Amino acid sequence: MKRSSQLHFGFIGKPVLLLVLLIGFIGCSLDNPGAPMWDLKVAFPLSSERYGLDELVSDSSEIEENNGGIDSLSDGMLRYFFEEPLDTSAIADSLLEYDADDTTRYSMKFGPYFFDSTSTSGRLSIDVILPDFTSDGNYDVTSLSIADHTPVILDPLIYIEEADLIDTIPGLLHLTLTNNTNLQWDILNVVLAFDEAGYPAIDSVSFPDVAAQSDMEYTFDLTGGILKKNLIIFTDGTGPDQVDVPVAETDGLEFDISISPLLCESYRGIVVKQGPRFKNTKLTYEDQDGWVTSAQVLEGVMRIIVENRTETVDSIYIRFPALVDYDDQSDTMVVPLLCEAMTGQQPGIVDTSVTFYNKLFTMELPSNYRSSPDPDPQEMDIITTLIPLSGGFEPNGDPRIADIYWEDSTNFELTIDHYDFEWLWGNARDEVIELEERDIEIDIWEDQPDLQSDLTGNVKFDDAWILIDLTGSTFRSPAKLVIDLTAQNSSLDPPAAKLWAQFTEYVAPNQDTVIIRSGYDGIDSVYMVDMLNHFPEKIEFAGDVLIGRDNLIGSLFDSLAYEIHKLTRDDIIFGTLSLEAPIALAVENRTILHSEVEDVGDGIESGLQSATIFTIVKSTIPLGGEIYVLAGSFDNDDNAKKELIWDNRSIHSIMDPVVFASPEVDPETGRAVSALVDTIIVDLGLDGINKLTRDKLWVRQIVILNATPSTVKIYAEDAVEVTVTAEVVYRVNGGDN
């Protein structure tokens, strides 16, 4: 957006056209006193005035309307200034709203399946041991034996169908053989096998000298092996002859098996709830515009996608230690999720957007934040807890048989979409806050267009500067202020018509005012006073506020570049921009100034024979020169402006010049040493009088300023006191009057 402002000048001066006063006086008719004709000589005072430069000072209403004007400094020196508010630049959009696509992807392998301790049992009944057994009683036993590979069917293991056991953690199967008989055995042989085709053996053991009513124990090592649901025991044995042995129907050989907890490389069966799996990872803020150490998050949005490639239903908790409740900082943000199991080749999917509010957000600065031109990105810890719950259920409600493998994984994708901060402590990287562009229109040339070219290159201001007042700003970070100014003077031929320069200044965190005097055009230094001495009709303004570490490194504020600052949603950059120039100038060349043309009407009536103007001047204004009055008959304003110019040799002054001298000037102070008193006599001859009798009369004042030996300064107390007396000769009855 660009704004346009008008800048009104009032300090060029008020035209001194004494002749107009004279025309106004003698333009009145004198009554005809009778037939005789004679010359009447009249002397009278025209004016006695004090013209103080304090009259140039703008009143408050003019300053308010025009955004500036002329005032006086504390020492009385006149100053021109233009002031305009810098439009409020809120920083929330650029610094307190973080829109990014920071994503972290990670996987959690299922790992070993934990199969809890379980047990099974089987029994070899007494009628298998003693085929002659009929009923309880005492028996004489001869040739005691159990046939080879006598099977003992064990109860199926619950949940498991088949599992491959890992080979790094022992898996133990403990067998307890109880001889629940009164028989003695020389040996009992036991083979543990899978109850399937071929009965592949797991392991075997022999128990010698087994006493009546005794227990034998043995532990099988399953480490790195296989475990299946259906187990079988094959046994055989022999014993001595025995007499009068009590035998009951409840007697037998009892086989009890207990299996320790197992960790499985793979598992097929009904899944029971597993212990939690943990994953610590980090989300890297790759696209940060700066660094944040702490902030209040009004609202944040993240997207979480979970792809479950295991055949278990998972309960998931994603914990963010960097985000805690703002009011209860013991309450860490946790996102709970439930992800269904994979079915066939279709993974279980969770795709959700999580919005959170009023959180305190904290992060550490990278370790190389101060030492590297390109520091590592900041990272946020993420702790994920995954708990496999079950394999799900069949449509009929039965538990589903699941296949679990160590390498099965659950994949996560977590993206931070947006943070909306209320405040933050941090530092921007290289943020640019644009100030509103505007055009400052200088309207003096609209009424006096020739003055622009008359002054350019001839009159030079001594000093000017930009003053930026940031008292109204609440944004308090070190900054680099860059202002582009283009002064446009269309009276010059391109490319000289435009003067461009860039002005740079650094602003400390608590600095309320900034003064800028010098800039750069890409080749040479350009000063603000150069812009003013270009006498532009328009100044184009554009500016940026550069903040952040990278904008300040290597600058005057290098030591502040790395500091952390607080920014709030209410922070604004606000103030006023002023162009100021004390009226201290040098007239470098004899300078011709064309004032506005004035329509006198039909001129004066005939009869005036001569006029002499006596002017007594007392002046402390340190300027000198001459005043000429050109006159001619023209139909309109445009023709008068075109013809009544100094270079038009066909136009002559209607009177001798009013020569005004400059008082002696102190070269150090630029002020008049003392007031100059001078008497100026201007004789308006008959030729000049004849020019004033024309119809459609236009006159124009030409002021020629003498070059000043040094810079002169204009003060409000400086003044010129002018006493004007006129002596005219009027011929009575020389005409109708």
Side-chain angles (χ1 to χ4, degrees):
M1 181 183 294
K2 178 179 284 189
R3 292 181 50 188
S4 180
S5 302
Q6 281 202 334
L7 182 59
H8 299 263
F9 276 82
F11 66 87
I12 295 298
K14 302 173 181 178
V16 182
L17 190 55
L18 299 178
L19 180 64
V20 175
L21 294 175
L22 181 61
I23 292 173
F25 176 79
I26 63 178
C28 301
S29 296
L30 295 176
D31 293 336
N32 187 349
M37 180 179 65
W38 69 92
D39 289 340
L40 177 64
K41 188 174 185 179
V42 181
F44 52 89
L46 285 179
S47 67
S48 179
E49 297 287 345
R50 178 186 182 275
Y51 300 100
L53 294 186
D54 52 1
E55 295 180 16
L56 297 178
V57 175
S58 308
D59 61 35
S60 58
S61 61
E62 290 177 324
I63 290 175
E64 182 177 354
E65 178 183 356
N66 302 325
N67 294 334
I70 295 177
D71 65 1
S72 58
L73 300 172
S74 58
D75 63 352
M77 185 177 178
L78 292 184
R79 173 192 70 155
Y80 164 72
F81 75 100
F82 171 76
E83 180 177 272
E84 183 162 313
L86 288 173
D87 291 315
T88 300
S89 296
I91 66 170
D93 290 345
S94 56
L95 296 179
L96 291 176
E97 294 182 5
Y98 178 63
D99 293 301
D101 190 22
D102 294 317
T103 299
T104 183
R105 297 177 178 86
Y106 59 97
S107 296
M108 295 182 69
K109 291 183 178 180
F110 191 96
Y113 181 84
F114 178 78
F115 184 71
D116 205 354
S117 59
T118 188
S119 62
T120 185
S121 62
R123 183 173 181 270
L124 193 63
S125 62
I126 192 63
D127 59 347
V128 176
I129 298 171
L130 297 176
D132 297 334
F133 173 78
T134 56
S135 61
D136 295 352
N138 291 348
Y139 289 80
D140 292 331
V141 179
T142 59
S143 301
L144 178 64
S145 67
I146 300 173
D148 287 347
H149 292 91
T150 299
V152 178
I153 305 299
L154 300 175
D155 295 332
L157 299 177
I158 62 172
Y159 302 131
I160 189 173
E161 296 291 328
E162 182 176 342
D164 288 328
L165 309 183
I166 64 175
D167 56 9
T168 56
I169 298 177
L172 304 177
L173 185 150
H174 187 74
L175 170 65
T176 300
L177 173 57
T178 300
N179 180 15
N180 189 24
T181 71
N182 291 314
L183 299 172
Q184 299 178 17
W185 299 86
D186 293 329
I187 192 167
L188 285 174
N189 297 311
V190 177
V191 177
L192 180 64
F194 296 120
D195 189 5
E196 60 183 47
Y199 301 108
I202 298 174
D203 205 348
S204 63
V205 63
S206 295
F207 298 107
D209 302 324
V210 179
Q213 301 296 329
S214 64
D215 292 334
M216 282 70 66
E217 295 184 355
Y218 182 76
T219 299
F220 297 94
D221 187 0
L222 302 179
T223 304
I226 297 174
L227 182 63
K228 297 183 180 181
K229 178 177 184 177
N230 296 314
L231 300 176
I232 190 170
I233 287 178
F234 294 99
T235 184
D236 64 76
T238 60
D241 294 341
Q242 302 166 55
V243 296
D244 200 24
V245 178
V247 179
E249 186 179 359
T250 57
D251 289 352
L253 294 177
E254 308 285 349
F255 296 86
D256 293 302
I257 291 177
S258 62
I259 301 174
S260 67
L262 302 174
L263 292 178
C264 310
E265 289 271 5
S266 64
Y267 172 84
R268 186 171 191 273
I270 296 173
V271 174
V272 297
K273 181 179 178 180
Q274 297 289 290
R277 277 82 166 133
F278 300 99
K279 177 80 172 185
N280 289 3
T281 189
K282 296 180 182 295
L283 185 145
T284 302
Y285 290 88
E286 297 284 0
D287 300 322
Q288 277 183 285
D289 294 328
W291 298 268
V292 177
T293 58
S294 64
Q296 180 184 0
V297 181
L298 291 178
E299 179 182 285
V301 179
M302 66 175 66
R303 184 183 181 192
I304 300 175
I305 301 175
V306 181
E307 181 189 64
N308 183 8
R309 290 193 168 274
T310 73
E311 294 187 8
T312 62
V313 178
D314 295 336
S315 179
I316 299 168
Y317 300 90
I318 304 178
R319 183 170 176 264
F320 300 89
L323 290 163
V324 300
D325 186 84
Y326 188 77
D327 298 317
D328 180 6
Q329 297 180 15
S330 64
D331 183 7
T332 302
M333 176 174 159
V334 178
V335 177
L337 302 168
L338 184 68
C339 190
E340 293 298 326
M342 181 176 181
T343 55
Q345 297 300 313
Q346 183 63 40
I349 297 291
V350 172
D351 188 345
T352 184
S353 182
V354 179
T355 302
F356 49 94
Y357 304 94
N358 200 31
K359 301 295 183 184
L360 178 64
F361 177 54
T362 56
M363 282 198 302
E364 295 292 330
L365 289 172
S367 59
N368 59 348
Y369 168 71
R370 292 179 178 273
S371 60
S372 172
D374 188 19
D376 298 330
Q378 284 187 280
E379 296 177 325
M380 180 175 72
D381 290 326
I382 299 173
I383 301 173
T384 304
T385 302
L386 184 148
I387 304 172
L389 298 179
S390 71
F393 297 90
E394 299 292 352
N396 64 2
D398 292 340
R400 180 177 295 154
I401 300 300
D403 288 295
I404 305 299
Y405 299 92
W406 181 301
E407 295 298 320
D408 287 348
S409 64
T410 302
N411 303 318
F412 295 82
E413 180 178 298
L414 193 150
T415 301
I416 297 294
D417 289 332
H418 177 75
Y419 281 133
D420 191 356
F421 298 121
E422 171 66 16
W423 56 260
L424 65 80
W425 280 92
N427 194 6
R429 182 185 295 273
D430 54 1
E431 192 71 21
V432 177
I433 302 172
E434 293 184 2
L435 299 177
E436 185 181 20
E437 296 182 3
R438 71 202 66 194
D439 289 342
I440 302 172
E441 304 285 348
I442 302 175
D443 68 351
I444 182 175
W445 318 124
E446 294 179 6
D447 295 329
Q448 303 179 77
D450 293 328
L451 275 178
Q452 187 177 23
S453 57
D454 290 344
L455 294 173
T456 303
N458 294 313
V459 176
K460 297 291 182 68
F461 281 88
D462 185 58
D463 194 11
W465 58 83
I466 295 174
L467 173 65
I468 299 177
D469 186 343
L470 298 172
T471 306
S473 292
T474 56
F475 177 70
R476 294 300 183 184
S477 291
K480 179 181 180 181
L481 184 62
V482 179
I483 294 177
D484 288 328
L485 294 180
T486 302
Q488 181 171 313
N489 183 336
S490 59
S491 70
L492 300 175
D493 294 330
K498 288 189 176 183
L499 176 63
W500 172 87
Q502 187 173 88
F503 300 83
T504 301
E505 189 63 44
Y506 290 91
V507 185
N510 296 311
Q511 186 174 343
D512 288 331
T513 58
V514 180
I515 296 177
I516 302 177
R517 276 189 164 88
S518 62
Y520 188 64
D521 65 1
I523 300 175
D524 298 313
S525 295
V526 177
Y527 294 90
M528 192 59 223
V529 72
D530 297 329
M531 309 293 285
L532 193 61
N533 287 333
H534 197 61
F535 290 96
E537 72 269 4
K538 179 173 70 174
I539 296 178
E540 298 171 353
F541 169 90
D544 294 322
V545 179
L546 281 61
I547 63 173
R549 193 196 77 150
D550 294 356
N551 284 326
L552 299 177
I553 289 176
S555 72
L556 178 67
F557 286 173
D558 184 80
S559 61
L560 299 177
Y562 303 93
E563 296 302 316
I564 300 302
H565 307 277
K566 186 176 183 181
L567 308 175
T568 72
R569 182 158 291 278
D570 294 331
D571 282 349
I572 58 172
I573 298 175
F574 179 78
T576 55
L577 171 71
S578 302
L579 171 63
E580 301 186 9
I583 303 181
L585 50 86
V587 181
E588 295 191 342
N589 305 295
R590 182 173 165 85
T591 301
I592 302 171
L593 304 178
H594 293 73
S595 70
E596 187 63 9
V597 296
E598 297 188 32
D599 184 1
V600 180
D602 291 334
I604 66 173
E605 298 181 9
S606 61
L608 184 64
Q609 299 301 300
S610 67
T612 304
I613 301 171
F614 301 87
T615 305
I616 300 175
V617 177
K618 180 180 180 182
S619 174
T620 57
I621 298 176
L623 294 173
E626 303 170 4
I627 300 175
Y628 293 82
V629 179
L630 306 182
S633 295
F634 304 101
D635 292 330
N636 53 56
D637 178 272
D638 290 338
N639 288 338
K641 288 180 180 178
K642 181 179 179 181
E643 297 296 330
L644 294 177
I645 60 175
W646 181 254
D647 293 335
N648 188 349
R649 296 307 177 188
S650 64
I651 299 293
H652 301 283
S653 178
I654 62 175
M655 65 181 201
D656 293 336
V658 176
V659 179
F660 58 96
S662 169
E664 181 184 356
V665 177
D666 186 330
E668 294 185 2
T669 65
R671 300 195 65 183
V673 175
S674 60
L676 173 71
V677 179
D678 194 9
T679 299
I680 305 167
I681 301 174
V682 177
D683 182 33
L684 185 63
L686 188 59
D687 181 61
I689 292 172
N690 290 335
K691 292 177 181 178
L692 292 176
T693 61
R694 300 175 182 178
D695 294 335
K696 300 179 180 179
L697 181 65
W698 293 77
V699 296
R700 188 178 208 175
Q701 177 181 252
I702 303 296
V703 178
I704 300 179
L705 295 179
N706 295 330
T708 57
S710 60
T711 298
V712 296
K713 298 180 180 180
I714 309 300
Y715 283 76
E717 63 189 53
D718 288 337
V720 56
E721 297 177 8
V722 181
T723 300
V724 182
T725 303
E727 182 181 279
V728 300
V729 176
Y730 198 83
R731 177 158 294 171
V732 180
N733 283 335
D736 296 334
N737 295 322

